[in-house]
Amino acid sequence: MPMQQDEAVLTRICLVRHGETEWNAERRIQGQIDIGLNAAGLRQAEAAGRWLKAAGISALYASDLKRAWATGQAIGQAVGVQPVPVPELRERRYGIFEGLTYAEAESRYPEGYAAFEGRNADYAFEHGESLKVMYERVTGKLKELAQRHLGESIVVVVHGGVLDVINRFVRGNPLEMPRDFLIPNAGINWISAVDGRWTVETWGETAHLADGALDELPS
């Protein structure tokens, strides 16, 4: 009997934030500066891999920035799948804020920081990118991966700012809305898609992390 053309196919995507870095611990804005994992971050990445070992993962993607790529490699070793780099899912470019702590950014650039903290979707920093521009590159790639892996379960390792955008996309919330969810290092987040309809299954899981994890700032 032929398959009906309108038969729904469930695609599941496990989004994992990279493990902790020293700059996370210092509350320093990384953006696209290529910072690697610290010892705690590597342990978190390995723990995420063990947690996902029995999840039936068929493909694994990761941002090509060191902190996400190393997390992806650790997960890949556990689940038996080689990671594929996706530069489109890099962290937001924070321009002149990159390398500064949140406190330093607020002190040096009070007007820009107010726009950033207030989630002005058009604000692009100097030498950075706006939330609107980031939203387009991130959601475009997410939809492409979902279409490529219809009916499968895949892992995508990304960054805090990327997860912030994806959560709003899936839930249909505006970019300007204050964040009402956590984005912990090495946190596990499951979303799914059926016929272009997106759902958050679980978000911010940290049961696999013995020592907990830092949340992305600001909230």
Side-chain angles (χ1 to χ4, degrees):
M1 185 175 180
M3 181 183 294
Q4 295 181 6
Q5 291 186 353
D6 59 353
E7 185 172 334
V9 176
L10 176 70
T11 303
R12 302 183 73 223
I13 300 176
C14 179
L15 301 159
V16 183
R17 186 184 174 202
H18 63 78
E20 183 180 305
T21 71
E22 284 306 311
W23 280 24
N24 288 147
E26 296 171 3
R27 304 304 193 188
R28 193 171 297 279
I29 300 167
Q30 295 172 120
Q32 293 193 11
I33 294 178
D34 209 4
I35 306 300
L37 299 179
N38 61 17
L42 182 57
R43 290 194 299 271
Q44 291 171 340
E46 291 170 345
R50 289 192 297 271
W51 193 259
L52 293 168
K53 194 170 183 178
I57 303 303
S58 61
L60 170 62
Y61 296 88
S63 157
D64 60 348
L65 295 178
K66 289 177 184 175
R67 54 196 188 270
W69 186 248
T71 302
Q73 287 180 310
I75 293 172
Q77 187 170 7
V79 303
V81 178
Q82 283 291 111
V84 175
V86 278
E88 298 91 340
L89 296 180
R90 289 179 179 180
E91 181 59 283
R92 182 179 179 186
R93 288 191 297 112
Y94 289 104
I96 54 173
F97 282 26
E98 292 186 356
L100 303 178
T101 65
Y102 288 94
E104 289 168 345
E106 183 175 17
S107 175
R108 296 186 193 182
Y109 307 104
E111 291 185 7
Y113 191 85
F116 163 61
E117 192 173 44
R119 300 195 61 85
N120 181 332
D122 292 309
Y123 177 64
F125 310 93
E126 185 178 337
H127 310 301
E129 69 181 330
S130 69
L131 276 172
K132 286 182 177 177
V133 168
M134 182 189 182
Y135 180 91
E136 291 303 319
R137 73 169 165 86
V138 167
T139 57
K141 191 63 179 182
L142 182 70
K143 288 183 280 189
E144 177 189 319
L145 292 178
Q147 186 64 32
R148 186 184 304 171
H149 295 282
L150 285 173
E152 301 177 37
S153 294
I154 69 171
V155 172
V156 185
V157 183
V158 290
H159 304 266
V162 175
L163 286 165
D164 179 276
V165 163
I166 291 176
N167 184 287
R168 295 163 198 281
F169 164 70
V170 173
R171 295 167 65 197
N173 289 331
L175 291 171
E176 297 83 359
M177 179 179 172
R179 178 154 64 86
D180 61 353
F181 51 91
L182 296 176
I183 311 177
N185 281 118
I188 290 175
N189 315 276
W190 282 97
I191 62 174
S192 59
V194 179
D195 292 338
R197 298 187 302 276
W198 294 82
T199 304
V200 172
E201 295 185 0
T202 63
W203 193 270
E205 294 181 30
T206 56
H208 57 294
L209 303 176
D211 301 319
L214 298 172
D215 180 46
E216 171 77 355
L217 289 178
S219 59

